[in-house]
Structure formats: C-alpha cells, structure tokens
Amino acid sequence: MTAPEAGRGIGNGESAAEITTTFVGLPRDSFRILHVSTGNVCRSPITERLTRHFVRERLGILGGGLIVESAGTWGHEGAPMEAHAETVLADFGADASGFTGRELLDEHVIRADLVLTATRDHRAQVISMGHSAGLRTFTLKEFTRLVKAIDPTTLPPLEEGVVVRARALVRAAAALRGWLLAPNAEADEVYDPYGAPLTFFRSIGDEIHQALDPVVTALTGVPART
C-alpha cells in the first residue's frame, strides 16, 4: 500500500482529494465499516455519510485507514440516494454528493471489518452469507448498546491509530454480546422510511445520529463537540 493510500478514508463518492490525504503517524492498513440496509437508498446511505461526517468533526479528517461504505440486501444498484435522505444529511451538515446504491455482495462482507445493519433481519442475512461474519456483524443499535458498556480506558489510545483502536472495539463488543441483551425485540431496529414523508425521515435520521454518536466517540476517543 502506498503512503497516500495508507491515510485514505473512502467509500461511495469519495473525492480524489480525500482519497490521497495521508493521516500522518497512523498505521498503513485499513479498517472497513460496512453499513447495510435493504435498498441502499435511505438508511444505510444516511448512516454511511453521517459516520464519515462525525469522524471528520472529531479528527478533522476521515483517514488513518478508516473506510466507510454501504450496500443493500436488495440494493438498487446504481440508484441515487432518496431525496429525503439527502435532506436529512443536509440537516446535519453532512455531504450527500456522489452517492450510488449498491447490492450487497460476498466481496463486501469478506472485506468488512465491521458490519452494522439497520435491522436484525439484515444482520441475519449478512451472517448467512458466511465468511466468518458473525463476530463482526451487529445491528447499529446493538453495537451502540455494547459500545456504551465498554470502558474506553481499556481501548488502545488514538496515538496507536484508528485501525488498532477500531479492531479492539469490535473484539470487546463481540465479547459482550451474550451478556447485554436487548430490552425488547424492537430495540435494535431502525425502521425503513422509504416512501414516508420527510418528518419520518428526520426522525430516523435522529435515531441514527443518537446511535452513531457513542460509536464514533469510542472509535476516535474524542467526544462530540457541544
């Protein structure tokens, strides 16, 4: 891997400037986060782009080998993001440009270090694809619940790199999974806003934001700005 590649954080529609940005001092390998929903035009694009946005807010850059992308179990290959999803991202100041939908493929699961799904059904579909995905696949809200139970002082400091810290976070979350169960069957679901009015899209955007905030804080070691 070349020096420019070592610091890149790429995914659907990443700009050339971002792809060639080096995050000095961090490892030259990568950690790939894959967000999964059904059509890859509403929930997973929102989650993908908000993840990138919140990481940049904390670190000033999306890099250090952190790659954030998305796909859909019934993905609308090549489709644009839903207009209401773009509006939700704009509400948060996140970039929605250049996105195209993708159908979830085996290669996406094979390459992913962490798969975060919108629902339990999506999680089951990813795990059913094999590729030893079980220990690295969670619903978004499930992963949030587990991450909030992890003592951040037990994670490697950011000075060791986002990749090292992220891998340790996934291992710690997987170890807690059998101990911290959801309070009810719906607690780990992010419902599909496809075809719904903007108000519902915005409520889903707020849910995703609340779920992502502790995850990004744990990944970066930097809390959200108040």
Side-chain angles (χ1 to χ4, degrees):
M1 183 176 290
T2 64
E5 287 175 326
R8 72 185 183 182
I10 65 174
N12 296 341
E14 199 74 33
S15 71
E18 289 168 325
I19 289 173
T20 57
T21 301
T22 301
F23 200 47
V24 178
L26 294 187
R28 294 188 176 185
D29 53 353
S30 63
F31 184 91
R32 191 179 295 264
I33 301 173
L34 175 66
H35 293 292
V36 175
S37 62
T38 302
N40 194 217
V41 291
C42 298
R43 288 168 291 180
S44 52
I46 291 172
T47 314
E48 173 200 318
R49 293 306 177 92
L50 284 184
T51 301
R52 296 191 201 175
H53 179 67
F54 295 144
V55 170
R56 288 191 183 100
E57 280 190 331
R58 287 160 170 79
L59 298 181
I61 188 172
L62 178 59
L66 188 64
I67 300 167
V68 185
E69 55 190 358
S70 63
T73 55
W74 290 87
H76 299 196
E77 189 72 31
M81 190 186 309
E82 282 290 297
H84 286 342
E86 291 187 355
T87 300
V88 168
L89 289 172
D91 290 343
F92 288 100
D95 181 16
S97 65
F99 182 88
T100 53
R102 303 191 305 175
E103 182 177 355
L104 181 67
L105 303 176
D106 287 75
E107 66 189 65
H108 301 143
V109 177
I110 291 168
R111 294 185 305 185
D113 298 286
L114 172 62
V115 184
L116 296 176
T117 70
T119 70
R120 293 168 296 160
D121 283 346
H122 297 133
R123 181 185 62 194
Q125 289 179 65
V126 171
I127 293 172
S128 73
M129 296 172 74
H131 316 302
S132 303
L135 289 177
R136 49 195 169 89
T137 302
F138 310 79
T139 74
L140 172 62
K141 288 185 176 180
E142 173 192 21
F143 193 66
T144 301
R145 182 175 67 253
L146 298 172
V147 162
K148 289 168 73 173
I150 296 168
D151 181 353
T153 65
T154 64
L155 298 173
L158 185 60
E159 289 75 17
E160 294 186 24
V162 174
V163 169
V164 172
R165 187 178 177 94
R167 288 178 177 161
L169 183 67
V170 173
R171 289 194 299 269
L176 285 173
R177 194 191 324 240
W179 299 92
L180 290 174
L181 303 179
N184 56 66
E186 306 305 315
D188 289 340
E189 305 283 292
V190 176
Y191 290 107
D192 191 356
Y194 185 78
L198 179 57
T199 51
F200 188 66
F201 266 82
R202 283 183 162 139
S203 71
I204 293 300
D206 288 339
E207 281 186 37
I208 292 171
H209 169 220
Q210 291 171 23
L212 277 177
D213 183 70
V215 171
V216 175
T217 297
L219 277 171
T220 63
V222 181
R225 297 171 186 172
T226 57

